[in-house]
Amino acid sequence: MPKQPLTSLLAGRYGSRLRGRGLTFEELRGYRAGDDIRSIDWKATARLRSTHVRVYSEERERPVLFIVDQRHAMFFGSRRTTKATLAVEAAAMGAWRVLGAKDRVGALVFGDDELVQIRPQRSRRTVLHFCKEMVRMNGKLSATPVEAGTGMLNKALRRAVNVAKHDYLVVLISDYAGYDDETRRLVSSIAAHNDVLAVMTYDPFGISLPRQTGLEVTDGAVTREVPTGERFQGAFEACFKERVDAIRGVLGSLRIPILPLCTHDPVGDQLRVALGH
């Protein structure tokens, strides 16, 4: 939107540079009954000795590229859904919203060993294809151990650099596992000529473990009991905070807003609160 509510994460003095639709000057013409007086060009009015207004048309072209993470690390959730499914829900809602605004929708969906590219188009068929690919890759996820595709995040971003040349809105939906210096360089390159929105999926168990005994975790092959001591709990929380602070620092320096989404709550409710509605 051209203007965000005051409570939106995209608003405020320290908000992002994420831009709404722009206005393109179309013509200078004589004033007509019903015209907004704020559009009067006073200099032209004085020069031509009759009231003239400046007419603008709204820019309609704003392609959006969704980058959706469906790696094994996203297959985790302690309530309601997993991070991977949360990412699919958010991307699907965003894609239909973009199509409703008559803009082109494109996507890069990546897993541990696969990257699917969908060319930006303004069609219902494209959005349905996007949703179908996300559901297919989401359905491949399981508790069976796989080789971590940490390099796939950067592979998807390298592809995005080639797709989003300029004036795109790039929406990156991930838990940012495998984030490194190369990720920072690629995101910086994308943000130089496009708007970027970073959506971070998380589960509360990934931030702080519950204070209970007998808690076990498994990767599908090996099962371990989680230590309950304060030392382990503190180290676990500090590790998460350090990683998130590093990501927030880099994205903040590029003026990229971060939209956190939790697995415990419905996506629509979280988006409405984050965007000030």
Side-chain angles (χ1 to χ4, degrees):
M1 302 294 290
K3 290 186 178 181
Q4 292 291 333
L6 292 177
T7 53
S8 170
L9 68 84
L10 304 180
R13 181 178 177 185
Y14 299 104
S16 77
R17 64 180 180 187
L18 203 65
R19 298 176 288 271
R21 295 184 181 279
L23 297 176
T24 302
F25 175 71
E26 192 169 278
E27 64 173 332
L28 180 69
R29 62 165 173 78
Y31 178 85
R32 299 171 186 168
D35 285 341
D36 190 337
I37 61 173
R38 292 175 296 181
S39 63
I40 294 176
D41 186 324
W42 295 106
K43 291 184 178 179
T45 297
R47 185 174 65 253
L48 300 172
R49 297 178 180 273
S50 63
T51 307
H52 278 68
V53 296
R54 297 177 69 87
V55 179
Y56 295 86
S57 61
E58 189 178 27
E59 294 175 359
R60 298 305 301 173
E61 179 65 17
R62 184 171 175 78
V64 179
L65 180 68
F66 291 91
I67 307 175
V68 186
D69 189 348
Q70 291 294 290
R71 292 175 296 172
H72 189 259
M74 295 280 285
F75 189 65
F76 178 79
S78 57
R79 190 190 307 168
R80 197 187 77 85
T81 191
T82 64
K83 292 185 291 182
T85 302
L86 182 74
V88 170
E89 293 174 344
M93 292 179 68
W96 287 114
R97 172 67 181 85
V98 172
L99 183 64
K102 295 181 170 57
D103 283 328
R104 289 185 292 151
V105 178
L108 294 169
V109 187
F110 66 99
D112 292 284
D113 56 2
E114 183 180 6
L115 172 61
V116 175
Q117 179 177 341
I118 299 172
R119 189 166 60 89
Q121 290 184 331
R122 190 185 298 107
S123 72
R124 179 183 175 86
R125 178 178 296 181
T126 298
V127 176
L128 289 173
H129 180 206
F130 174 32
C131 292
K132 181 179 180 180
E133 287 297 330
M134 288 194 294
V135 170
R136 181 184 65 81
M137 294 185 69
N138 185 268
K140 291 171 58 179
L141 296 172
S142 69
T144 304
V146 299
E147 184 176 349
T150 54
M152 291 299 291
L153 173 61
N154 289 341
K155 183 177 180 179
L157 291 174
R158 281 192 290 271
R159 185 73 62 85
V161 170
N162 294 326
V163 174
K165 296 294 185 181
H166 59 81
D167 297 331
Y168 271 69
L169 170 59
V170 178
V171 183
L172 176 56
I173 309 176
S174 175
D175 65 354
Y176 299 87
Y179 183 96
D180 57 19
D181 290 339
E182 175 69 2
T183 310
R184 175 178 180 173
R185 185 189 69 79
L186 291 167
V187 171
S188 178
S189 178
I190 295 171
H193 303 289
N194 305 277
D195 289 335
V196 179
L197 175 62
V199 180
M200 177 176 284
T201 62
Y202 73 94
D203 186 277
F205 273 25
I207 302 174
S208 178
L209 293 173
R211 310 286 176 168
Q212 66 184 62
T213 59
L215 184 66
E216 294 184 339
V217 294
T218 180
D219 62 359
V222 179
T223 300
R224 293 284 186 268
E225 184 173 343
V226 177
T228 57
E230 291 293 332
R231 182 176 179 181
F232 177 82
Q233 294 279 356
F236 185 89
E237 294 173 13
C239 181
F240 177 84
K241 184 177 185 303
E242 180 181 356
R243 186 172 75 90
V244 172
D245 286 347
I247 295 173
R248 182 184 292 118
V250 171
L251 298 180
S253 67
L254 298 172
R255 299 178 64 191
I256 295 175
I258 301 176
L259 172 59
L261 290 180
C262 176
T263 58
H264 285 197
D265 303 310
V267 175
D269 293 347
Q270 296 184 72
L271 291 177
R272 280 188 286 271
V273 171
L275 299 178
H277 297 286

